[in-house]
Amino acid sequence: MNHNLEVTMDQRPEVVERVLRVVRHRGFTLTNMNMRLVDESVYLSLSVSSERGIELLSNQLTKLVDVTGCHVMQPAMPQSASA
Amino acid sequence: MRGADAVIKVLAAHGVNTVFGYPGGAIMPIYDALYGSEVEHTLCRHEQGAGFAAVGYARASGKTGVCFATSGPGATNLITALADALLDSVPVVAITGQVSTSVIGTDAFQEIDVLGMSLSCTKHSFMVQSVDELVPTLYRAFDLAASGRPGPVLVDIPKDVQIAQLEYRAPLLAVADEPKVQDADIDAARALIAAAKKPMLYVGGGVGMAGAVEQLRRFIKATNMPSVATLKGLGAIPHGTPGYLGMLGMHGGKAANLAVQECDLLMVVGARFDDRVTGRLASFAPNAKVLHLDIDAAELGKLRQPDVAIAAELRAVLPRLEMPLDIAPWCAEVETLAAEHRWDYNHPGSLIYAPAMLRRLANKLPEDSVVSCDVGQHQMWVAQHMHFRRPEDHLSSAGLGTMGFGLPAAIGAQMARPDATVVAVSGDGSFMMNVQELTTIKRRKLPVKILLIDNQRLGMVKQWQQLFFEERYSETNLSDNPDFVALASAFEIPGRTIFAAEEVEEALTEMLTSKGPYLLHVAIDDAFNVWPLVPPGASNSDMMEEMERST
């Protein structure tokens, strides 16, 4: 299953490393990533795939001390074919 | 003042009067600040020993344990103890020296990226970037270590930060709100409990860590619900409580495992469905609905989907779930199971039967006692055959299963509870892993009692080789062990060796009544194994049982 997450974090030098470690260790493959630093916050968009439920990962990311928000994005609805 | 002086001042402000550690180049300013300060330092002889002593201190006292190490090898030697504290949710603050900020990243002498190494073995970790961050970071570390689900926090402090000047100001920390419990969740939980005909409490280490032992005992009294405990949950429920079946899981009692498999409601309190507890997860308590209570929301639904889950302080939730239950037939069934599968200590032969010896020891210990275990067969025998008045009276490396834990943890426990009788129960394999801490006992004149159960084997591994590897005993023969009594004597610790069952009673008395430290070396037959055993991958209802050969 593929999933998209939006993670917001306090800026620390190691914070992205901290998140990526959890992604790997909990059994998810990172397929895409985008990171922005705005003021003192880090915004991270992640695409991951795994046979495991995404709640396992999102719960563990939410638990990280530097993580201020973690949202699993609903998959986009397939667009209906135009006539 | 210097950053190093501020470190000591923060410790004092948090009531820390005992620190375990080992000095080195990158932490010398902190050791200099420690000299003559009000914070007492216990010099261990290996950083791993210092880490485990801090864990033992924390577990025996309920306070946060603190340990120091220098950069590089000092910090890496702490890692195992931090991992142990993480898996057992023990509040520890580890302070490591680091090379100066100007040379970090240059492969300087004794430089290692301990922040990077710690990511997977701590609840959180910091590297202090500047002296302005130092005091707030240390306050935050103590708060994080003890709050919510406790755990180890590492603070890495570069040497230049330690010697930089600062104006000390205690920060104001925001108090985190406790998780709110919704009334609807309580109602749903009460409905589950009320509807159950065969409910079973599955109690983990979270109960003790949350300080919810009294609430749990009141809940059991109100509901009369039968109960089992994990290795870390032992002590939460008093021995002799009606319906209490002791430890469940791989080496749990037969009655405990069978009753859990039979229940229709599993009420999980401060536990996490560890694989050593559940056996094959898919067939664990197969007919049970699950009510899961834990402070850590990430544990809810991690391995077994609960019917109702509440993430909250157990102290607040348990009283709201008290109710009388109409479960007399189930309680009678549980008592019958307990009677059918009670331990048999009438072991034939003249050799020392460790389970019987440990039961005797439990009966002889004074009320204020701590038993610190190492890891292996003796650890499981302690869990099966001893009983504990409180969770903090039983220290065991549960999650990580770390050989070498027992002796330094006992040192920490004795420092935390100087008037308590502290017994380190070890095996010949485990004992050798941190044997250098005998010097710490000598230096501190600690009256730690060491019960060393010696089968000249790496017993638990040997048992598995016997059962699952066609008796191919690869590297588990430890018959070249040293003379343990002579070894202890070199550290000015008296002791004796016993070989026969008839010597046990008198030897235990001698050990417990000796004034200072004591080593009782107990020679047992290597044929003794730990039973019952749930084989790997099997259901908890498929326990192996085998009588040892009598000699």
Side-chain angles (χ1 to χ4, degrees), chain A residues 12 18 21 63 65-66, chain B residues 120 124-125 127 140 296:
Chain A
R12 298 289 301 172
R18 206 182 279 283
R21 191 204 73 77
K63 215 164 81 162
V65 170
D66 292 328
Chain B
S120 59
H124 194 64
S125 47
M127 180 194 275
R140 183 97 171 98
D296 184 354

Side-chain angles (χ1 to χ4, degrees), chain B residues 355-368:
Chain B
M357 176 183 66
L358 291 167
R359 175 52 68 98
R360 277 193 190 192
L361 174 62
N363 291 338
K364 291 171 78 72
L365 283 175
E367 192 161 321
D368 186 15

